Amino acid sequence: MYRYDEFDERFVRERVAQFRAQVTRRLEGSLTEDEFKPLRLKNGVYLQLHAYMLRIAIPYGTLNSRQLRQLAVIADKYDRGYGHFTTRQNIQFNWPKLRDIPDILELLADVEMHCIQTSGNCIRNVTSDHFAGAAADEIEDPRPTAELIRQWSSLHPEFDYLPRKFKIAVTGADHDRAATKAHDIGLRVQRHPDTHEIGYEVMVGGGLGRTPMIGKVVREFLPKKDLLAYLEAIMRVYNLEGRRDNKYKARVKILVHEIGAEEFTRRVEAEFARLDGASVNADPEEVARIAAYFAPPAFQTLPARSTKLEAYKAMNPAFARFVENNVTAHRAPGYAAVTVSLKEIGAAPGDITSDQLRAAADLTERFSFDEARISHHQNLVLPHVRQDDLFALWQALGAAGLATANVGLITDIIACPGLDYCALATARSIPIAQAIAKRFADEKRQALIGALGIKISGCINACGHHHVGHIGILGLEKNGVENYQITLGGDATEKAALGERLGPGIDGEDVPEAIERIVAVYLAERREGEVFIDAVRRLGLGPFKAAFQTLTGQEARHAAA
């Protein structure tokens, strides 16, 4: 993974010193909250419902054991003993005191971490495939590209005050695990069909929030050498022409929609032609220097299948279930990628305690070449585990309360913090996720249902990505009561789609029953081997709407009684 050089070290330390002085001035009263707000946002500090919240950047979701242990120290010393992993592969602490935040930033700097560009109208943390460098279907590891973009965009003078926040995601495989089409810019590594040269498909204008849109392809193939100049051309068009008069219409997706993808592309290509590419694009030696940090670890030469693993699976059904749900094929023979679910039944999705952070650090060091990942599904990934070690890893995870075998199943729910923490939220997300998980807790039933992704947001800003959930749940306030809209058919992969509403909103207590009725239709109508989202595409919304409306009809009768 990438390591700081002298410039990175000095840059981060200077920012900590600057922010310490700003915090002192705020606490002394020489800065008002209005004056302080843009300064704290530049350093990842939000003011939430109950306290300040600190959002820490985890570039492309990659961590090592030293960093995990430092997060545990911060959780214990400055928070309430836990942290929350987000859908942008970051971690948030919800209870720090403002006076302590400079000290937290110093601790982060000690392990090459910071909070810069995790908020504000700038290019945010660049996200990527959580199986990068391990995925069997990968064309190229996307993390060197993500790191190059991180370095290019950090404090870029032209893009420090954009019309709105800007999000970029990179995937290195045809199967999109990074939700690239739901980002302002999505990059998909690909080989040119004729020359086999590696480059990028470039998509612009995706995004969720109150106006969800799927990204449009503006370049079918961009040579790698031209990446930064092309990104700079996109950003210049957006920076010059994006709306600043209305923050709800300021994202690049609105610009692309208003002028059309064809005209937007024309303007980008014209800007790209005007740019002096040689002065913008990275020096090949610098690209090679960055890529060297992501060289594969020293994998052993192993058989493709482990007889030891198969024997343990045969002896232990619970372990076999864990392997089936939480283990993914690896590009290196004899290895596997393991997803550690942070969705224990009844727990808040994405939360992890300080003890679990320390346990994860130990296991990362012991089993995964000292490398872990955070997924945008709010889970932890150990990307490089020997198949022979999977049983020992599973036992250790179990001792730490981290062996829940539900990855990709109906209880592996994505949820934002919602009204329990967030100042923007209009409804709770966490209790809804907990209620659904408890309703479907039975492991055999989860296995019967199979792959099904539920995503929950507590407001229209859609941090829980509900628009692209197979089942999406949006919590809103309606006449002083929390009310939940259910959508169906969303997808965040290469087949990206936005979910459609099934009907009027319902009370929170009725959400588990609504999910029950949707699932019942699927189980009754599915073909052999057909997963939920494919059944929804084949059947259309009709039968699901009919089942949902029986619930809303009951509600109406109850209200009239």
PDB file of all heavy atoms in Angstrom, residues 489-503:
ATOM      1  N   GLY A 489     -35.724  -2.739  -7.421  1.00  0.00           N
ATOM      2  CA  GLY A 489     -35.056  -2.891  -8.711  1.00  0.00           C
ATOM      3  C   GLY A 489     -33.788  -2.090  -8.887  1.00  0.00           C
ATOM      4  O   GLY A 489     -33.234  -2.058  -9.986  1.00  0.00           O
ATOM      5  N   GLY A 490     -33.302  -1.460  -7.823  1.00  0.00           N
ATOM      6  CA  GLY A 490     -32.057  -0.720  -7.954  1.00  0.00           C
ATOM      7  C   GLY A 490     -30.857  -1.654  -8.050  1.00  0.00           C
ATOM      8  O   GLY A 490     -30.889  -2.798  -7.602  1.00  0.00           O
ATOM      9  N   ASP A 491     -29.780  -1.164  -8.654  1.00  0.00           N
ATOM     10  CA  ASP A 491     -28.586  -1.993  -8.853  1.00  0.00           C
ATOM     11  C   ASP A 491     -27.370  -1.071  -8.974  1.00  0.00           C
ATOM     12  O   ASP A 491     -27.424  -0.084  -9.710  1.00  0.00           O
ATOM     13  CB  ASP A 491     -28.754  -2.816 -10.133  1.00  0.00           C
ATOM     14  CG  ASP A 491     -27.672  -3.877 -10.290  1.00  0.00           C
ATOM     15  OD1 ASP A 491     -26.634  -3.801  -9.597  1.00  0.00           O
ATOM     16  OD2 ASP A 491     -27.853  -4.786 -11.121  1.00  0.00           O
ATOM     17  N   ALA A 492     -26.297  -1.376  -8.244  1.00  0.00           N
ATOM     18  CA  ALA A 492     -25.104  -0.520  -8.261  1.00  0.00           C
ATOM     19  C   ALA A 492     -23.979  -1.096  -9.106  1.00  0.00           C
ATOM     20  O   ALA A 492     -22.895  -0.525  -9.150  1.00  0.00           O
ATOM     21  CB  ALA A 492     -24.596  -0.319  -6.833  1.00  0.00           C
ATOM     22  N   THR A 493     -24.212  -2.192  -9.804  1.00  0.00           N
ATOM     23  CA  THR A 493     -23.151  -2.846 -10.568  1.00  0.00           C
ATOM     24  C   THR A 493     -23.078  -2.294 -11.995  1.00  0.00           C
ATOM     25  O   THR A 493     -23.651  -1.247 -12.297  1.00  0.00           O
ATOM     26  CB  THR A 493     -23.393  -4.371 -10.637  1.00  0.00           C
ATOM     27  OG1 THR A 493     -24.515  -4.622 -11.504  1.00  0.00           O
ATOM     28  CG2 THR A 493     -23.669  -4.939  -9.260  1.00  0.00           C
ATOM     29  N   GLU A 494     -22.400  -3.026 -12.881  1.00  0.00           N
ATOM     30  CA  GLU A 494     -22.317  -2.622 -14.286  1.00  0.00           C
ATOM     31  C   GLU A 494     -23.693  -2.580 -14.951  1.00  0.00           C
ATOM     32  O   GLU A 494     -23.850  -1.969 -16.012  1.00  0.00           O
ATOM     33  CB  GLU A 494     -21.382  -3.565 -15.055  1.00  0.00           C
ATOM     34  CG  GLU A 494     -21.841  -4.999 -15.189  1.00  0.00           C
ATOM     35  CD  GLU A 494     -21.564  -5.852 -13.945  1.00  0.00           C
ATOM     36  OE1 GLU A 494     -21.117  -5.282 -12.931  1.00  0.00           O
ATOM     37  OE2 GLU A 494     -21.793  -7.073 -14.010  1.00  0.00           O
ATOM     38  N   LYS A 495     -24.688  -3.210 -14.328  1.00  0.00           N
ATOM     39  CA  LYS A 495     -26.076  -3.126 -14.826  1.00  0.00           C
ATOM     40  C   LYS A 495     -26.840  -2.061 -14.044  1.00  0.00           C
ATOM     41  O   LYS A 495     -28.025  -2.219 -13.764  1.00  0.00           O
ATOM     42  CB  LYS A 495     -26.760  -4.478 -14.660  1.00  0.00           C
ATOM     43  CG  LYS A 495     -26.105  -5.609 -15.430  1.00  0.00           C
ATOM     44  CD  LYS A 495     -26.795  -6.932 -15.126  1.00  0.00           C
ATOM     45  CE  LYS A 495     -26.114  -8.082 -15.850  1.00  0.00           C
ATOM     46  NZ  LYS A 495     -26.723  -9.398 -15.475  1.00  0.00           N
ATOM     47  N   ALA A 496     -26.191  -0.988 -13.709  1.00  0.00           N
ATOM     48  CA  ALA A 496     -26.741  -0.002 -12.774  1.00  0.00           C
ATOM     49  C   ALA A 496     -28.151   0.429 -13.160  1.00  0.00           C
ATOM     50  O   ALA A 496     -28.460   0.670 -14.333  1.00  0.00           O
ATOM     51  CB  ALA A 496     -25.835   1.215 -12.723  1.00  0.00           C
ATOM     52  N   ALA A 497     -29.008   0.515 -12.145  1.00  0.00           N
ATOM     53  CA  ALA A 497     -30.391   0.944 -12.340  1.00  0.00           C
ATOM     54  C   ALA A 497     -30.870   1.607 -11.058  1.00  0.00           C
ATOM     55  O   ALA A 497     -30.381   1.317  -9.969  1.00  0.00           O
ATOM     56  CB  ALA A 497     -31.278  -0.258 -12.679  1.00  0.00           C
ATOM     57  N   LEU A 498     -31.837   2.503 -11.217  1.00  0.00           N
ATOM     58  CA  LEU A 498     -32.445   3.165 -10.074  1.00  0.00           C
ATOM     59  C   LEU A 498     -33.741   2.456  -9.721  1.00  0.00           C
ATOM     60  O   LEU A 498     -34.537   2.132 -10.611  1.00  0.00           O
ATOM     61  CB  LEU A 498     -32.726   4.628 -10.398  1.00  0.00           C
ATOM     62  CG  LEU A 498     -31.504   5.463 -10.805  1.00  0.00           C
ATOM     63  CD1 LEU A 498     -31.930   6.848 -11.263  1.00  0.00           C
ATOM     64  CD2 LEU A 498     -30.516   5.570  -9.648  1.00  0.00           C
ATOM     65  N   GLY A 499     -33.960   2.233  -8.442  1.00  0.00           N
ATOM     66  CA  GLY A 499     -35.178   1.574  -8.006  1.00  0.00           C
ATOM     67  C   GLY A 499     -36.401   2.443  -8.238  1.00  0.00           C
ATOM     68  O   GLY A 499     -36.322   3.664  -8.325  1.00  0.00           O
ATOM     69  N   GLU A 500     -37.553   1.765  -8.362  1.00  0.00           N
ATOM     70  CA  GLU A 500     -38.818   2.479  -8.557  1.00  0.00           C
ATOM     71  C   GLU A 500     -39.714   2.279  -7.346  1.00  0.00           C
ATOM     72  O   GLU A 500     -39.741   1.200  -6.751  1.00  0.00           O
ATOM     73  CB  GLU A 500     -39.522   1.961  -9.821  1.00  0.00           C
ATOM     74  CG  GLU A 500     -38.741   2.216 -11.091  1.00  0.00           C
ATOM     75  CD  GLU A 500     -39.505   1.726 -12.315  1.00  0.00           C
ATOM     76  OE1 GLU A 500     -40.664   2.131 -12.509  1.00  0.00           O
ATOM     77  OE2 GLU A 500     -38.937   0.897 -13.058  1.00  0.00           O
ATOM     78  N   ARG A 501     -40.477   3.315  -7.023  1.00  0.00           N
ATOM     79  CA  ARG A 501     -41.332   3.250  -5.838  1.00  0.00           C
ATOM     80  C   ARG A 501     -42.463   2.245  -6.022  1.00  0.00           C
ATOM     81  O   ARG A 501     -43.059   2.138  -7.097  1.00  0.00           O
ATOM     82  CB  ARG A 501     -41.926   4.612  -5.542  1.00  0.00           C
ATOM     83  CG  ARG A 501     -41.007   5.521  -4.777  1.00  0.00           C
ATOM     84  CD  ARG A 501     -41.660   6.849  -4.465  1.00  0.00           C
ATOM     85  NE  ARG A 501     -42.817   6.686  -3.585  1.00  0.00           N
ATOM     86  CZ  ARG A 501     -43.531   7.710  -3.125  1.00  0.00           C
ATOM     87  NH1 ARG A 501     -43.200   8.942  -3.473  1.00  0.00           N
ATOM     88  NH2 ARG A 501     -44.560   7.499  -2.328  1.00  0.00           N
ATOM     89  N   LEU A 502     -42.765   1.535  -4.938  1.00  0.00           N
ATOM     90  CA  LEU A 502     -43.842   0.555  -4.983  1.00  0.00           C
ATOM     91  C   LEU A 502     -45.197   1.166  -4.639  1.00  0.00           C
ATOM     92  O   LEU A 502     -46.242   0.594  -4.975  1.00  0.00           O
ATOM     93  CB  LEU A 502     -43.560  -0.600  -3.999  1.00  0.00           C
ATOM     94  CG  LEU A 502     -42.502  -1.595  -4.427  1.00  0.00           C
ATOM     95  CD1 LEU A 502     -42.368  -2.704  -3.388  1.00  0.00           C
ATOM     96  CD2 LEU A 502     -42.812  -2.193  -5.790  1.00  0.00           C
ATOM     97  N   GLY A 503     -45.194   2.298  -3.941  1.00  0.00           N
ATOM     98  CA  GLY A 503     -46.469   2.889  -3.544  1.00  0.00           C
ATOM     99  C   GLY A 503     -46.259   3.961  -2.509  1.00  0.00           C
ATOM    100  O   GLY A 503     -45.137   4.467  -2.339  1.00  0.00           O
TER     101      GLY A 503
END
